[in-house]
Amino acid sequence: MTSSFRPDLTTKIHPEPPPQEFPIDHFDLLPDPLLLLIFNNIGDVKTLGRCGVVSKRFQYLVPQVENVVVRVDCVISDDDSGNPSANSVKSCGPFSNLVRFLCSGFVKPIYALGQLLGTKRCSNYSNLSSNNVISGCENNNVVVDDDDDDCQNGVNNVTHHSPTQVLKNFNEIKSLKIELPSGELGLEDDVLLKWKADFGSTLDNCVMLGASAVIRRENVTSSEIGNGNGNEDSGSIPESFYTNGGLKLRVVWTISSLIAASARHYLLQPIIAEHKTLDSLVLTDGDRQGVLCMNKEQLEELRVKPLSASSASKRTLVPALNMKLWYAPYLELPNGNVLKGATLVAIRPSEQSGQKEVSDGSWVSSAFEEPYGTAARMLVKRRTYCLEMNSF
């Protein structure tokens, strides 16, 4: 008698679970610390704003984010605030003012920077709750918009928000980066100008790197490159540097960089005062032209010791300075570019002149990203020229 064993296809080893009335939301299964870790890696204030309107839980967690990046799309002047096309805004939810920056163009860069970060308050307020958008604002600075199609109970209002107003929704910020759309100093396309400044209650140090032109290696003769990349005992500035306006131009670059840095520092006061949890703050721009940095000790110094403001404009008073200058007619970079008239200026307040200098010059050469860090390290090996500048 033979028998055959055939599987019973009418049964299943793992039967399907009974249908649930409500599907499982896997985000609800994540603990709050893990969600905060995700939000901290997002950083971008616009994206966090969108996350804040997803659910009540996200709305509760987003203000606890420690790492925040504010990218300003553009800066507008007071004249642009009357443009209805630029000021048409929708709002929805308590984080609608975190979502989008709109505006026109850079006008009067240093003045426009003041308009961007200024703390001028609105004279009129709508009847909306304090968590909603403020309407009736005039002479404010950044237009913030929420253009999500799924906003609920959206209303049209005119609103301009500065980073100070945007960040008021966060109460646990430790690391803050604000990025402007472009540097304050308008330059020709082939001119290079970069600076990095550290501030406490006043300027701690500043490094400026400039070049009159950035050209390709094949457009420069070998003899010119040889003269520019000399050894440590070379680096004498040619007489023509003084007579053709080369030195005057470098002084203008240095003063302009210091003014831009001190203007940024002055306008950060409200943010620093309001967010006492800050450990680090960086204010830069999309062009990477200038970077202002403040660490925890410097931030605390500014809170304890008020800055001295310039009487001429809304910026921090620049103290009397000692400067070291290095120059090379041509400087070849690893990426194949050549800096024509390469100039490096290291700046410190005169009151720090008695303190011990950093022997290896690391605070100078580490100020810039590559390939400009290499340029700084090459320049500091050349002959040093010392300058002084009065407070302004």
Side-chain angles (χ1 to χ4, degrees):
M1 181 177 179
T2 60
S3 63
S4 61
F5 296 94
R6 296 181 180 179
D8 185 359
L9 300 180
T10 62
T11 62
K12 295 182 178 179
I13 298 176
H14 302 288
E16 294 181 357
Q20 296 182 354
E21 186 177 355
F22 298 103
I24 297 176
D25 186 344
H26 294 283
F27 262 105
D28 287 340
L29 303 178
L30 298 178
D32 286 355
L34 183 55
L35 284 177
L36 280 173
L37 180 62
I38 295 172
F39 289 153
N40 276 302
N41 279 278
I42 291 174
D44 179 62
V45 74
K46 301 178 187 178
T47 306
L48 291 173
R50 294 186 176 99
C51 291
V53 298
V54 168
S55 66
K56 289 184 178 180
R57 187 187 183 199
F58 283 16
Q59 178 182 332
Y60 168 75
L61 291 174
V62 165
Q64 301 178 43
V65 170
E66 297 180 350
N67 304 321
V68 178
V69 179
V70 180
R71 292 184 176 89
V72 180
D73 288 345
C74 213
V75 179
I76 59 174
S77 65
D78 287 346
D79 296 336
D80 299 313
S81 62
N83 184 353
S85 63
N87 293 333
S88 179
V89 186
K90 295 188 295 180
S91 77
C92 58
F95 287 93
S96 60
N97 61 329
L98 302 181
V99 178
R100 188 179 179 193
F101 293 102
L102 303 173
C103 39
S104 57
F106 245 110
V107 181
K108 299 179 181 179
I110 298 298
Y111 171 77
L113 180 65
Q115 296 303 305
L116 165 66
L117 294 177
T119 58
K120 192 179 294 183
R121 298 296 182 184
C122 302
S123 57
N124 299 318
Y125 293 86
S126 67
N127 294 325
L128 300 176
S129 68
S130 61
N131 284 333
N132 287 328
V133 67
I134 298 174
S135 65
C137 298
E138 294 182 356
N139 295 331
N140 260 317
N141 10 54
V142 178
V143 181
V144 186
D145 179 21
D146 187 346
D147 59 353
D148 288 347
D149 295 332
D150 57 352
C151 292
Q152 298 177 356
N153 301 324
V155 292
N156 291 328
N157 286 287
V158 174
T159 176
H160 295 174
H161 289 288
S162 71
T164 305
Q165 294 171 307
V166 170
L167 293 170
K168 68 181 180 181
N169 294 290
F170 296 88
N171 49 40
E172 300 290 341
I173 302 177
K174 290 187 177 180
S175 175
L176 174 63
K177 178 180 178 181
I178 301 176
E179 183 176 302
L180 304 178
S182 59
E184 299 93 325
L185 310 177
L187 301 169
E188 297 179 3
D189 292 339
D190 57 346
V191 174
L192 172 71
L193 179 60
K194 292 183 175 294
W195 58 266
K196 181 178 182 294
D198 288 329
F199 275 83
S201 61
T202 186
L203 178 70
D204 280 350
N205 61 72
C206 181
V207 183
M208 190 277 294
L209 176 67
S212 56
V214 181
I215 53 184
R216 292 299 300 172
R217 172 64 178 84
E218 53 268 23
N219 297 329
V220 187
T221 64
S222 299
S223 59
E224 291 173 326
I225 294 293
N227 292 334
N229 292 343
N231 297 324
E232 190 172 347
D233 59 349
S234 66
S236 298
I237 295 179
E239 186 66 28
S240 59
F241 183 78
Y242 303 98
T243 59
N244 64 5
L247 178 60
K248 180 180 178 181
L249 177 62
R250 270 66 180 180
V251 172
V252 171
W253 285 351
T254 303
I255 294 176
S256 299
S257 299
L258 290 169
I259 290 176
S262 61
R264 292 187 185 187
H265 180 250
Y266 179 89
L267 297 165
L268 288 172
Q269 289 181 91
I271 294 176
I272 297 171
E274 185 171 344
H275 298 277
K276 301 187 183 300
T277 57
L278 272 175
D279 288 341
S280 67
L281 190 155
V282 175
L283 178 53
T284 183
D285 52 76
D287 298 337
R288 301 294 295 175
Q289 183 184 89
V291 181
L292 183 148
C293 299
M294 299 183 71
N295 59 31
K296 184 176 182 179
E297 291 75 18
Q298 292 167 331
L299 291 164
E300 188 59 33
E301 178 187 330
L302 179 58
R303 296 188 186 102
V304 175
K305 182 180 178 182
L307 58 79
S308 299
S310 170
S311 59
S313 59
K314 292 183 178 181
R315 61 176 179 82
T316 302
L317 183 69
V318 178
L321 304 171
N322 287 336
M323 299 184 291
K324 292 184 177 181
L325 182 146
W326 298 270
Y327 175 81
Y330 293 90
L331 197 69
E332 185 177 6
L333 302 181
N335 63 357
N337 287 336
V338 175
L339 303 184
K340 181 179 179 181
T343 307
L344 180 69
V345 182
I347 306 164
R348 279 188 167 176
S350 299
E351 61 183 15
Q352 296 185 13
S353 59
Q355 300 180 9
K356 184 179 179 180
E357 285 285 337
V358 180
S359 58
D360 59 359
S362 60
W363 69 281
V364 177
S365 58
S366 64
F368 306 107
E369 297 177 351
E370 294 299 334
Y372 303 111
T374 298
R377 288 190 293 272
M378 295 169 65
L379 284 166
V380 295
K381 295 178 180 180
R382 301 173 65 82
R383 181 171 298 178
T384 303
Y385 293 83
C386 296
L387 304 171
E388 294 183 354
M389 184 176 293
N390 294 329
S391 175
F392 63 93

